[in-house]
Amino acid sequence: MSDIILRFVRTHGVNIISDGDVDGVFATGFLLRALIIMNIKEAYEGKVLFPRARELEKMEANGDILIELRSDRGLRYRGSNLLLDHHPEPPRIVLYHEENPILVRKYSISTSVAGLVHYIFRDTLDVPEDLVDMVDQVDYKNYELEYAHRLARAFIISRNMPSENLREMFSSTLAQVIDAPLFKNLKEIADKSPIYGFLTMAVSMGDWDTIYDWINQEAQRYEEQIIPTAKKLYSRASRSGEISYVIYNYGDLRERTAIDDVFYALQKESTVAMMIGVTRNGFLVRIASFDPKLNLTRICGFITDKRAKCGGRENVVGLYFPNTFFTLTDVLKITHELMRKILS
C-alpha cells in the first residue's frame, strides 16, 4: 500500500512541505516514523517545512511530498510532486508532473491526512490507536474523546504562546535524537517555532509518553490562562436566527488562542458560524458549519470583488478583506449577505 510513496522517496528523497495544523504535523511525523522504522536511509537526509499561509504564494514545490497543500492553496507545482490529502474526500495520494495529476490512488476510508498515513503504513507503524483517533477528532472538530479536545488546546497554546518549558517537556525526545540532517532541520524549526520542531521530532522518534505528558501539561496551562478569555469572547458573540458570529483582536495572543474554542461552541449552537479577526492590515474571516447539507465553497463564487480573497472546502471557508478597501462595517454587511445566500 505504500509503494507509491516509497518509489517517490527513493527517486526524490524526503522533502516534506506540510500544512501547519495538528493533522499536518502528525501526518508528517507519522510518515517520518514509518520511514525510520523501515530503515529508509533517505529519511535521515530529509527536511521539513511548515510554511505560513502567506508564504505559500511565494513558494514552488519540486520533488516534494506535500501534506494537504493542493495547488489552490497558492503553492506552485514544478517537476514531480506527491500530494497526500483528504480534501475532497475520499483521502488520496496524487502524483503530479507540473500541475497535471498523472497517478491517483484513492482510499475508501473517512479519515484525517494523519489517519491516511497511518492506514497506508498500518503494518509498520507503532502509533497508539487512541492517538490516531484523537488527531482525527481534532481535525473534524468532533470531540468525542475529552483527550482530543485537550490535544487541540495543547497544540494551539504551544503554537501561539510557547511555554519556556517546552524544551524541557521534550527533553527525553532530544536525548534520543541522532546526528542526521533531518534532526538538525527539526531543531532549527524548534528554534523558531518550538512546537513544530519538538512535536514532529517526538512523533518521528515514537516518544509517545512524552507526547501525552505534553498534552496534559499544556492543556492545563490552557485552562488556567485561556479559558477566562474564551468566556469573555463567547459572551460578546452575536446571534441572529441561524447565524452567529464573534469579532476578536488577532493581535491579542490570548484572544487568538481562545477563538477556536469559542468558534466551536458557536458552530454547535448555530447553523452557520463566523469569526472575524481584526488585524493591522485587514480582516481575517472564517465561516463554518456542521450542517452536511451546506456547501460553503459556494460563498467564494458569490464574491465578485477581486480585492477580497476566498478559499476553503464544503464545511469551512476563509476570507480576507484588506482594510485599505474595506471597513469592519463593510465586512459584516458582505459576509451576512453571503451567509443568507447560502442558507436560502
Side-chain angles (χ1 to χ4, degrees):
M1 298 293 283
S2 58
D3 54 323
I4 298 173
I5 295 175
L6 295 179
R7 285 200 302 269
F8 188 87
V9 163
R10 289 181 173 123
T11 303
H12 300 282
V14 179
N15 304 298
I16 302 173
I17 307 177
S18 176
D19 188 30
D21 63 0
V22 172
D23 191 19
V25 173
F26 274 92
T28 299
F30 287 171
L31 178 55
L32 291 171
R33 179 67 181 157
L35 297 175
I36 288 170
I37 290 175
M38 297 168 71
N39 202 28
I40 304 297
K41 60 181 179 60
E42 289 86 354
Y44 297 101
E45 303 297 316
K47 68 176 187 292
V48 176
L49 286 173
F50 294 103
R52 297 180 181 182
R54 63 176 177 269
E55 296 172 331
L56 290 174
E57 294 183 357
K58 302 176 183 178
M59 292 182 64
E60 289 188 355
N62 191 340
D64 296 313
I65 298 171
L66 309 173
I67 308 292
E68 285 194 299
L69 292 179
R70 302 174 302 279
S71 58
D72 62 7
R73 298 281 300 274
L75 190 67
R76 291 182 295 279
Y77 289 9
R78 299 288 184 264
S80 296
N81 292 287
L82 192 68
L83 173 69
L84 282 67
D85 204 356
H86 67 130
H87 298 298
E89 291 191 345
R92 65 196 64 201
I93 299 176
V94 186
L95 178 64
Y96 282 88
H97 178 69
E98 300 294 332
E99 298 284 345
N100 303 309
I102 58 175
L103 188 155
V104 179
R105 178 170 291 174
K106 298 179 181 181
Y107 296 83
S108 299
I109 53 175
S110 180
T111 187
S112 63
V113 73
L116 171 62
V117 176
H118 182 260
Y119 179 80
I120 292 169
F121 291 99
R122 60 192 179 279
D123 294 331
T124 300
L125 280 170
D126 57 351
V127 183
E129 289 289 342
D130 68 328
L131 186 57
V132 182
D133 291 341
M134 285 158 53
V135 176
D136 263 357
Q137 290 184 24
V138 172
D139 195 58
Y140 287 100
K141 286 190 167 48
N142 175 27
Y143 299 128
E144 293 180 8
L145 296 173
E146 174 58 26
Y147 231 92
H149 209 168
R150 291 173 67 79
L151 168 59
R153 289 173 166 179
F155 182 81
I156 198 164
I157 195 171
S158 290
R159 184 187 68 187
N160 292 352
M161 301 169 59
S163 168
E164 294 179 357
N165 298 325
L166 270 175
R167 182 174 293 274
E168 183 180 339
M169 290 182 205
F170 288 93
S171 58
S172 66
T173 296
L174 290 166
Q176 300 175 54
V177 168
I178 63 172
D179 184 18
L182 170 67
F183 298 110
K184 290 179 180 178
N185 166 241
L186 291 174
K187 285 180 178 179
E188 290 172 358
I189 292 174
D191 288 339
K192 297 177 181 177
S193 303
I195 196 56
Y196 287 104
F198 292 140
L199 185 55
T200 306
M201 268 191 279
V203 177
S204 64
M205 298 299 289
D207 195 357
W208 313 121
D209 288 344
T210 291
I211 292 170
Y212 285 109
D213 288 344
W214 159 73
I215 293 171
N216 287 328
Q217 291 184 59
E218 288 293 80
Q220 180 61 37
R221 186 163 70 97
Y222 185 102
E223 290 278 344
E224 296 167 355
Q225 298 184 14
I226 304 301
I227 288 296
T229 301
K231 289 179 178 178
K232 290 178 183 177
L233 283 172
Y234 180 77
S235 68
R236 284 182 1 211
S238 299
R239 300 159 181 85
S240 177
E242 297 179 277
I243 298 171
S244 63
Y245 71 93
V246 61
I247 301 169
Y248 69 101
N249 179 1
Y250 184 83
D252 184 316
L253 287 178
R254 290 181 188 271
E255 290 200 4
R256 194 195 309 176
T257 303
I259 195 64
D260 274 10
D261 264 352
V262 178
F263 194 46
Y264 173 71
L266 295 179
Q267 284 180 257
K268 294 287 286 184
E269 65 187 40
S270 306
T271 304
V272 180
M274 175 175 68
M275 61 181 183
I276 302 174
V278 180
T279 77
R280 287 183 300 175
N281 300 315
F283 307 94
L284 289 168
V285 179
R286 178 174 291 184
I287 301 173
S289 176
F290 287 136
D291 188 338
K293 298 188 294 296
L294 294 180
N295 180 0
L296 298 185
T297 57
R298 293 171 55 214
I299 285 174
C300 297
F302 293 142
I303 296 178
T304 57
D305 193 325
K306 300 301 182 184
R307 297 172 299 182
K309 295 183 179 180
C310 183
R313 51 187 188 268
E314 287 83 356
N315 63 334
V316 59
V317 295
L319 303 95
Y320 178 70
F321 297 88
N323 59 18
T324 48
F325 304 111
F326 302 93
T327 66
L328 180 57
T329 301
D330 295 330
V331 172
L332 285 168
K333 181 180 178 181
I334 292 167
T335 51
H336 275 76
E337 288 176 356
L338 292 170
M339 287 188 286
R340 282 192 288 269
K341 285 183 178 180
I342 286 294
L343 291 169
S344 62

